Amino acid sequence: MRPALKNPPAPILHPGTLQPCGAADLRPIFCDELVKQELNTTESRIPIPEEVRQFYKMYRPSPVVRAYFLEKALGTPAKIYYKFEGTNTSGSHKLNSAIAQIYYAKQQGITDVTTETGAGQWGTALAMACAYFGLSAKVFMVKVSSQQKPHRRAVMETYGASVLASPSDTTKVGREILAAMPDTGGSLGCAISEAIEVATQTPNCRYVLGSVLNHVLLHQSVIGLETQAALAKFDIRPDVIIGCAGGGSNLGGLIAPFMTGRLKGENNIRFVAVEPASCPSFTRGKFAYDFGDTGKTTPLLKMYTLGSGFIPAPNHAGGLRFHGMNSVLSQLYNEGYLEAKAYEQNKVFEAATLFARSEGTLPAPESSHAIKAVIDEALACKETGEARTILFGLTGTGYFDLSAYASYQAGTLTDAIPTDADLAKGIATLPAV
Ligand SMILES: *Cc1c(COP(=O)(O)O)cnc(C)c1O
């Protein structure tokens, strides 16, 4: 998808010099092969290594399902399809990139990796990948998520990972954040700072990231490629493709082959990103260079961002609580190829409940943002009588989100929407580039 962009993608900048980053700048943080993929803006296909394919066979290809029962419940003429990524134990698409990243780390002789996790899906996926390839994993889990989802820790530890609630007192940046905001529930941005600090100070250790970066989208393009193959078999052509967007990896992966077609003028598909109203990177953010973390240590990415100092309310869709967005998706949004919508979480859980009752699968809160947008799209078709074909990414299951479902049922789920003043505070933390 990246090589098909109309305008060249904005380069990654070094946080010190503000000059474009070379591979040498990124290698102390990330594995060599992933750095190469991150900086590769010209090759449109990179083969999946054989060992990664073997692992994928355990749970891929993932199903593409027609949501007949949801269509019926809505009384819509629209045809709704979804690609379901929740069939592995980690419960989401994140395993697709975790296994690829750990494969390349092992090839390089890396023995230890660090990362952050929000809702816990990425940490679990990484723990599974590390168990498979025999690497050791240290996971900084956003404090509010670790409190909401204690069972996630148990799963990660079962796969051999060590898990710390972030901000923690084990890192310099964690101690600084705790001193400034003792009651903070943490954020992905804080946890990333801690994980990078440990990675750069531990021998033979690298940092791995489960979203946002272009190499993660590359790994997730397996979702889109499988979907494209499955739909082509039955000559199904989507009119609109919808996905939830945290850092953009599932959405980017799902739309990759279809967006490439759109950029080449081969289709006229609409693409829609859906985010929480509590963390509205696309719909209320700014297109600017920003850090990926609260501690301002990462290279700078040009993206839609709320500012690295923005700490979103403890919304239950932990996987969508990141201040920024992948840079290629940001550019596509900026150039009008991608639309975006934001929803409050009570409406999202209402959509999740309708989906569970009609289709049977209990969706993750993150995925349910896409479901809400799909339902609105399908109801619009009912008004106009159009039989549009809607495709969406059902990124995961909600088995670890039962406390969120329970609060929704009890009527205690809150909709925390940041005020313009809250957002201005985050935007004020943007670096002057
Ligand atoms: C992490 C996660 C997301 C959001 O991450 P992206 O990188 O934007 O895809 C969405 N759904 C689930 C189930 C997740 O675990």
Side-chain angles (χ1 to χ4, degrees):
M1 175 164 71
R2 191 165 32 158
L5 287 173
K6 298 287 181 205
N7 296 300
I12 304 174
L13 301 185
H14 188 282
T17 63
L18 300 184
Q19 294 303 307
C21 266
D25 299 316
L26 298 173
R27 277 196 212 110
I29 306 176
F30 300 105
C31 303
D32 294 356
E33 188 59 33
L34 299 174
V35 168
K36 235 196 226 162
Q37 292 177 358
E38 192 61 32
L39 298 177
N40 184 342
T41 56
T42 52
E43 270 172 290
S44 52
R45 294 269 168 141
I46 292 173
I48 303 172
E50 185 51 33
E51 276 178 85
V52 175
R53 284 173 180 263
Q54 289 300 328
F55 186 88
Y56 280 167
K57 280 185 189 165
M58 287 193 259
Y59 68 102
R60 308 204 69 83
S62 68
V64 178
V65 182
R66 171 122 180 229
Y68 284 110
F69 303 105
L70 179 63
E71 290 171 16
K72 199 168 154 207
L74 296 171
T76 177
K79 301 186 193 81
I80 304 173
Y81 296 86
Y82 59 89
K83 175 78 165 164
F84 182 39
E85 289 293 320
T87 58
N88 68 82
T89 298
S90 78
S92 84
H93 63 285
K94 301 235 170 45
L95 190 57
N96 302 334
S97 184
I99 199 68
Q101 295 195 37
I102 297 308
Y103 165 79
Y104 292 120
K106 181 164 182 161
Q107 291 296 99
Q108 193 187 327
I110 298 294
T111 54
D112 290 67
V113 293
T114 65
T115 197
E116 77 299 324
T117 196
Q121 285 97 324
W122 167 245
T124 307
L126 187 75
M128 289 173 75
C130 284
Y132 185 75
F133 282 123
L135 272 73
S136 148
K138 181 178 268 187
V139 180
F140 288 90
M141 184 169 188
V142 176
K143 193 182 277 170
V144 53
S145 295
S146 74
Q147 289 159 350
Q148 283 167 350
K149 304 180 172 190
H151 297 114
R152 272 285 176 193
R153 169 192 287 264
V155 182
M156 288 186 265
E157 288 173 349
T158 300
Y159 284 99
S162 72
V163 184
L164 292 160
S166 167
S168 77
D169 58 8
T170 66
T171 64
K172 185 166 164 284
V173 62
R175 287 189 292 273
E176 280 167 10
I177 294 167
L178 281 175
M181 296 175 283
D183 299 324
T184 181
S187 69
L188 282 171
C190 295
I192 294 173
S193 301
E194 291 203 88
I196 292 182
E197 181 180 321
V198 172
T200 51
Q201 290 175 9
T202 309
N204 219 19
C205 181
R206 290 293 183 280
Y207 166 68
V208 288
L209 182 60
S211 184
V212 186
L213 295 175
N214 292 316
H215 65 262
V216 185
L217 266 71
L218 171 74
H219 307 151
Q220 296 298 356
S221 65
V222 67
I223 302 173
L225 292 168
E226 282 180 7
T227 307
Q228 188 185 40
L231 295 185
K233 220 168 176 172
F234 299 96
D235 198 27
I236 298 159
R237 295 156 205 255
D239 297 304
V240 50
I241 305 181
I242 298 174
C244 62
S249 75
N250 86 83
L251 178 67
L254 174 66
I255 70 175
F258 302 97
M259 180 62 89
T260 304
R262 164 100 189 258
L263 292 168
K264 291 181 176 165
E266 294 165 3
N267 68 50
N268 202 20
I269 300 173
R270 280 175 53 219
F271 300 92
V272 184
V274 192
E275 58 188 15
S278 58
C279 191
S281 318
F282 270 138
T283 50
R284 295 173 72 197
K286 212 174 148 183
F287 191 37
Y289 270 106
D290 196 10
F291 296 97
D293 66 329
T294 313
K296 302 193 171 187
T297 55
T298 67
L300 297 165
L301 303 172
K302 187 156 184 206
M303 59 184 175
Y304 276 86
T305 176
L306 298 165
S308 62
F310 178 77
I311 296 196
N315 178 293
H316 281 283
L320 304 182
R321 294 179 70 233
F322 182 66
H323 63 274
M325 191 55 70
N326 168 263
S327 59
V328 170
L329 291 187
S330 291
Q331 188 173 331
L332 290 166
Y333 179 67
N334 189 252
E335 293 175 2
Y337 292 99
L338 178 65
E339 302 164 29
K341 287 187 165 181
Y343 290 111
E344 294 146 34
Q345 63 177 350
N346 272 294
K347 288 185 187 142
V348 166
F349 274 88
E350 188 188 346
T353 304
L354 175 62
F355 187 83
R357 289 181 189 176
S358 53
E359 286 295 313
T361 296
L362 185 76
E366 292 88 350
S367 323
S368 305
H369 286 71
I371 295 173
K372 169 65 183 154
V374 167
I375 291 174
D376 283 0
E377 188 76 25
L379 291 176
C381 289
K382 192 173 170 179
E383 296 275 304
T384 60
E386 276 174 281
R388 259 181 255 159
T389 299
I390 304 169
L391 167 68
F392 76 98
L394 185 65
T395 51
T397 55
Y399 299 126
F400 286 96
D401 302 282
L402 296 174
S403 66
Y405 275 96
S407 338
Y408 170 67
Q409 282 146 23
T412 56
L413 209 59
T414 53
D415 285 320
I417 300 174
T419 62
D420 288 342
D422 295 334
L423 292 184
K425 271 188 239 159
I427 295 295
T429 65
L430 284 176
V433 177

